[in-house]
Amino acid sequence: TIMKTLITPESVFRLAFSADELLAPSVVMPSDIVAVEERHIRPVVGEALYGALADGRYADLMEEYVAPAIAAWVRYAIQPLLGHRCSSCLVSEGNDFYNATTADNVRMAALQHNLRHTAQSLSRRLGDYLNSHSTDFAEYDPDKNPLNRCSINGDIVQTR
């Protein structure tokens, strides 16, 4: 049985990784995408709009806003696991594979912070677009979007 996702592992790989990273698209697992969609996408778009996207409707929304957010969250989720998923994958500094050194914990934490910030920004971009174009998406209910009730900026949590 193949897990149904809004975006393929190959698409996630293309959107979230560069050719310089010496990774194969197989590092992205369908289960990674399912987990991200459940945690970060479905709550923002809502059940009805998620169903419409799964049915192939709203291709422009999917390509421009939903897919980049999914890819960014998947990258954030799997980055710490990349060294464990295949023997030839290392988190390293530099672009020379043979002379690269393993990145230290400080750099890894900074990378994770950057990846999370990117994913959060793309989720906010998706939510903002849906809010400003809500009449274009009959299935979208802005009152159910958690990004409209709460925002986190650094260590500050704001509720509305």
Side-chain angles (χ1 to χ4, degrees):
T1 306
I2 297 174
M3 294 180 167
K4 293 190 122 201
T5 59
L6 296 179
I7 185 173
T8 66
E10 295 78 18
S11 294
V12 168
F13 187 81
R14 180 180 47 78
L15 290 168
F17 293 90
S18 75
D20 297 337
E21 295 185 77
L22 301 173
L23 297 169
S26 61
V27 300
V28 178
M29 307 292 288
S31 59
D32 299 322
I33 301 169
V34 168
V36 160
E37 289 179 5
E38 289 299 315
R39 183 167 187 194
H40 299 287
I41 302 302
R42 194 183 293 252
V44 172
V45 301
E47 290 297 322
L49 183 53
Y50 183 89
L53 290 166
D55 289 341
R57 296 176 51 207
Y58 305 119
D60 290 343
L61 174 68
M62 183 66 205
E63 182 179 337
E64 187 65 30
Y65 295 92
V66 179
I70 292 171
W73 279 116
V74 169
R75 173 69 189 258
Y76 170 76
I78 69 172
Q79 184 65 47
L81 307 173
L82 290 179
H84 301 288
R85 288 220 172 141
C86 65
S87 61
S88 63
C89 300
L90 294 174
V91 176
S92 61
E93 11 179 50
N95 56 9
D96 179 355
F97 179 75
Y98 297 103
N99 295 317
T101 60
T102 302
D104 61 17
N105 289 340
V106 173
R107 287 197 175 102
M108 279 300 300
L111 174 61
Q112 279 300 101
H113 176 79
N114 186 36
L115 291 172
R116 182 178 185 85
H117 180 74
T118 298
Q120 287 173 328
S121 295
L122 290 171
S123 287
R124 174 59 65 193
R125 180 176 175 258
L126 168 61
D128 289 348
Y129 182 81
L130 288 172
N131 290 333
S132 64
H133 296 86
S134 59
T135 57
D136 297 340
F137 308 103
E139 302 87 349
Y140 177 67
D141 183 354
D143 294 332
K144 292 185 179 178
N145 181 344
L147 297 178
N148 292 336
R149 298 188 305 271
C150 176
S151 63
I152 301 172
N153 299 308
D155 293 334
I156 300 171
V157 177
Q158 299 172 322
T159 58
R160 300 182 251 288

